[in-house]
C-alpha cells in the first residue's frame, strides 16, 4: 500500500443492523473516510467502489486485481483521513447463494488490502433466519421457511443450486465460527473483530465502543445514536404472510407492477403503513419453536467455539 491509512472492512452479515450503521454511524466518525459500495454503479464511484462492484458481480477470474490495486493505492495516497472504513454486507456473501462467494471475496480483498482489519457482526441463527426469510418475502419471492432451510423429514439437507429451486441455504453452513476462522486465517488472528448483533440491541454503546477500540477510532469524538429509531425494519409476521401469498404471482408480472407503481404499493407495504402496530404484532412466527431449536442445536458446538475465541459468552444471548 502506498497510503498511510488504516483499512477497516465491515463485511456484514446481512440483517445485523448494517443499514443503521451505514446511515447513522459511519458517515459521522472523526478522521474516517467512509466508503459504501452499492449494488449498482454511480457517477461518484471511486476506485474502491468500482473494485467491489466487480467483485460482487463479475466472474472473479476476469478481474484485473493489479490494475484495481494500482488505482486504489493512488487514491489512498491523496487522502487526508487516517482511517478508511469500507462497509458492505455483500462482502460476506449473498445469503440466497449460501454465502458461497465469501471465500473468493476475502481472497481478493486480501490481495488489495493485505493489512486490513475485518469487522464481522453475527446473529443468533434462528433469529437471523427469520429476518433473512422475511427479507426474501419483502423482495418478492414466495417460498416456505422449511424449503428455504432445506428442512425435510426432520433433518437439514444440502443447499440446492439453481434458480428453479428458489432462494435457499444450507442450514449447516450458517456456521459463524467458520466465517470468523476463515477471516482470521486470511487476514491474521488479531485482525478480526466478531461482534454479536444481540449486544447492539441490548447495549449499543458497548457494542460501538468495542468497535471503536478495535478500529483505533476516538470514542470520545464518535457518535452513539439513539437506536430506538428503526432503519430498514422488516415486515411483521402478518404482513410477511400476506407477501407469501401475493408473491406467488409470476415474477415478470410482479416486476412490471412494481416498476409501474413502485414497491411501496405492495399490499404488505400498504398494510405495514396503515394498520395499527397492535394488529401487526403478536402473530405466529414463520420459524416454529421446534425448527428454531433444531437450528440452534445444529450450531451449539460452533457457537461455543466462537464465543471462546472472541471472549464472549454467547449463551448469554441465547446462542
Amino acid at each position: 500500500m502506498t497510503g498511510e491509512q488504516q483499512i477497516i472492512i465491515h463485511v456484514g452479515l446481512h440483517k445485523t443492523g448494517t443499514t443503521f450503521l451505514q446511515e447513522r454511524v459511519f458517515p459521522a466518525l472523526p478522521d474516517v473516510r467512509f466508503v459504501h459500495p452499492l449494488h449498482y454503479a454511480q457517477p461518484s464511484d471511486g476506485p474502491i467502489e468500482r473494485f467491489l462492484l466487480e467483485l460482487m458481480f463479475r466472474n472473479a477470474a476476469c478481474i484485473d486485481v493489479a490494475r484495481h490495486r494500482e488505482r486504489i493505492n493512488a487514491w489512498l495516497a491523496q487522502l487526508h483521513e487516517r482511517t478508511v472504513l469500507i462497509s458492505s454486507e455483500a462482502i460476506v456473501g449473498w445469503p440466497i447463494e449460501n454465502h458461497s462467494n465469501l471465500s473468493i471475496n476475502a481472497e481478493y480483498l486480501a490481495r488489495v488490502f493485505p493489512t486490513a482489519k475485518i469487522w464481522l457482526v453475527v446473529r443468533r441463527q434462528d433469529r437471523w433466519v427469520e429476518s433473512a426469510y422475511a427479507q426474501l418475502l419483502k423482495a418478492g419471492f414466495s417460498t416456505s421457511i422449511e424449503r428455504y432451510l432445506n428442512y425435510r423429514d426432520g433433518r437439514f439437507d444440502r443447499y440446492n443450486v439453481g434458480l428453479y429451486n428458489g432462494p435457499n441455504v444450507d442450514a449447516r453452513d450458517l456456521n459463524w465460527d467458520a466465517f470468523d476462522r476463515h477471516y482470521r486465517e486470511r487476514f491474521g488472528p488479531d485482525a478480526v473483530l466478531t461482534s454479536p448483533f444481540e449486544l447492539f440491541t441490548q447495549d449499543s454503546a458497548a457494542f460501538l465502543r468495542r468497535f471503536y477500540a478495535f478500529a483505533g477510532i476516538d470514542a470520545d469524538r464518535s457518535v452513539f445514536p439513539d437506536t430506538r429509531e428503526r432503519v430498514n425494519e422488516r415486515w411483521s409476521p402478518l404482513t410477511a404472510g400476506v407477501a407469501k401469498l401475493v408473491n406467488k404471482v409470476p415474477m415478470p408480472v410482479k416486476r412490471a407492477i412494481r416498476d409501474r407503481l413502485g414497491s411501496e404499493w405492495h399490499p404488505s407495504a400498504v398494510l405495514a403503513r396503515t394498520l395499527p402496530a397492535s394488529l401487526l404484532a403478536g402473530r405466529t412466527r414463520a420459524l416454529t419453536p421446534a425448527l428454531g431449536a433444531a437450528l440452534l442445536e445444529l450450531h451449539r458446538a460452533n457457537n461455543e467455539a466462537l464465543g471462546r475465541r472472541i471472549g464472549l459468552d454467547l449463551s448469554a444471548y441465547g446462542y
Side-chain angles (χ1 to χ4, degrees):
M1 303 296 293
T2 59
E4 298 293 330
Q5 292 78 14
Q6 173 183 235
I7 308 297
I8 308 293
I9 307 177
H10 172 229
V11 300
L13 296 167
H14 293 79
K15 315 313 297 178
T16 58
T18 50
T19 301
F20 186 92
L21 293 170
Q22 290 160 352
E23 293 184 1
R24 301 290 188 267
V25 176
F26 296 158
L29 294 178
D31 199 23
V32 171
R33 174 62 68 94
F34 172 45
V35 180
H36 181 202
L38 299 179
H39 298 166
Y40 49 88
Q42 300 184 101
S44 60
D45 281 350
I48 293 178
E49 289 94 339
R50 288 191 284 272
F51 167 57
L52 265 294
L53 196 63
E54 286 209 338
L55 188 58
M56 292 175 193
F57 294 106
R58 288 199 71 183
N59 184 323
C62 300
I63 298 176
D64 189 339
V65 177
R67 186 182 182 195
H68 281 293
R69 185 170 55 238
E70 180 181 356
R71 291 179 174 179
I72 289 171
N73 285 346
W75 180 80
L76 290 173
Q78 52 82 41
L79 286 186
H80 298 294
E81 293 89 351
R82 188 180 65 84
T83 298
V84 175
L85 171 58
I86 305 166
S87 175
S88 172
E89 59 270 39
I91 291 173
V92 83
W94 300 111
I96 62 172
E97 296 176 357
N98 202 42
H99 299 105
S100 58
N101 49 334
L102 181 154
S103 182
I104 193 66
N105 289 353
E107 171 66 25
Y108 275 54
L109 283 167
R111 293 188 195 179
V112 176
F113 306 110
T115 61
K117 289 185 173 182
I118 303 297
W119 189 26
L120 170 67
V121 183
V122 299
R123 187 174 184 177
R124 210 176 86 184
Q125 282 87 353
D126 57 340
R127 295 293 179 253
W128 183 88
V129 163
E130 284 191 317
S131 190
Y133 175 70
Q135 188 66 31
L136 285 176
L137 299 179
K138 201 171 184 180
F141 294 97
S142 179
T143 188
S144 70
I145 199 161
E146 290 82 7
R147 188 180 182 194
Y148 174 61
L149 286 171
N150 290 296
Y151 188 73
R152 304 178 185 87
D153 301 323
R155 68 184 185 92
F156 296 102
D157 208 346
R158 64 172 177 79
Y159 170 64
N160 274 304
V161 179
L163 294 177
Y164 292 107
N165 292 308
N168 68 101
V169 298
D170 188 328
R172 300 169 300 178
D173 292 348
L174 302 178
N175 178 357
W176 314 143
D177 177 55
F179 287 27
D180 175 271
R181 282 189 284 106
H182 187 83
Y183 283 119
R184 291 180 194 274
E185 290 167 0
R186 197 61 192 81
F187 290 90
D190 299 321
V192 177
L193 173 69
T194 294
S195 306
F197 173 67
E198 292 77 11
L199 176 59
F200 177 68
T201 61
Q202 294 181 20
D203 189 345
S204 60
F207 176 88
L208 289 173
R209 286 189 185 279
R210 279 174 56 90
F211 169 64
Y212 294 154
F214 169 74
I217 295 172
D218 187 351
D220 293 334
R221 296 171 56 210
S222 297
V223 293
F224 293 89
D226 183 357
T227 54
R228 290 175 297 180
E229 179 185 3
R230 293 292 181 259
V231 175
N232 194 27
E233 191 168 13
R234 76 180 188 186
W235 284 338
S236 71
L238 174 61
T239 49
V242 171
K244 184 178 175 181
L245 295 174
V246 173
N247 292 347
K248 291 182 180 295
V249 174
M251 185 60 78
V253 177
K254 288 184 293 190
R255 289 182 63 90
I257 295 174
R258 184 180 63 188
D259 292 344
R260 178 67 64 87
L261 299 179
S263 60
E264 67 272 15
W265 289 104
H266 189 289
S268 290
V270 174
L271 287 176
R273 290 198 305 270
T274 57
L275 288 182
S278 59
L279 294 179
L280 296 176
R283 304 290 178 175
T284 302
R285 306 184 76 100
L287 192 70
T288 65
L291 185 52
L295 186 60
L296 286 176
E297 183 59 33
L298 183 67
H299 292 290
R300 182 180 303 279
N302 302 330
N303 291 336
E304 290 174 353
L306 176 61
R308 287 192 297 271
R309 189 179 307 110
I310 67 176
L312 289 175
D313 179 9
L314 294 179
S315 67
Y317 303 108
Y319 284 75

